[in-house]
Amino acid sequence: LMQYHRQQTNSESSSLVLPYLNLVMPVHMQGGLLLPGQSMGNKIGAIVSQVPAEAAEGASERLHQVHDTLWNRKQTPTA
């Protein structure tokens, strides 16, 4: 997506850096695994979190930042 966006921009704005992305992940609202014979039903929801997209630190540091962001989001009572 970011590569496509850069290709669509002109050369003046080719240095565009996206600092954050909004990530939406489906989740099972009751947590855990579905047991055999148990249906998902209306127990599906989503967690939305803003995660680092591009950083000067490199891919390894960005992965660590995304992990920390998602871990902290998952620990909130509303998650």
Side-chain angles (χ1 to χ4, degrees):
L1 179 63
M2 291 182 279
Q3 183 179 14
Y4 172 79
H5 182 70
R6 284 194 190 95
Q7 290 173 352
Q8 300 303 313
T9 60
N10 59 27
S11 61
E12 294 176 10
S13 61
S14 62
S15 64
L16 173 68
V17 174
L18 298 173
Y20 297 99
L21 290 174
N22 291 324
L23 180 65
V24 181
M25 298 172 291
V27 295
H28 182 243
M29 298 303 284
Q30 292 182 330
L33 300 171
L34 288 175
L35 300 175
Q38 185 180 15
S39 67
M40 178 67 77
N42 289 334
K43 302 172 201 144
I44 191 165
I47 292 177
V48 180
S49 188
Q50 191 177 56
V51 297
E54 295 178 314
E57 296 89 15
S60 179
E61 179 63 27
R62 183 172 57 231
L63 180 61
H64 183 71
Q65 291 174 355
V66 168
H67 172 270
D68 289 346
T69 301
L70 295 177
W71 176 258
N72 290 333
R73 178 71 174 129
K74 187 177 176 185
Q75 303 309 310
T76 62
T78 58

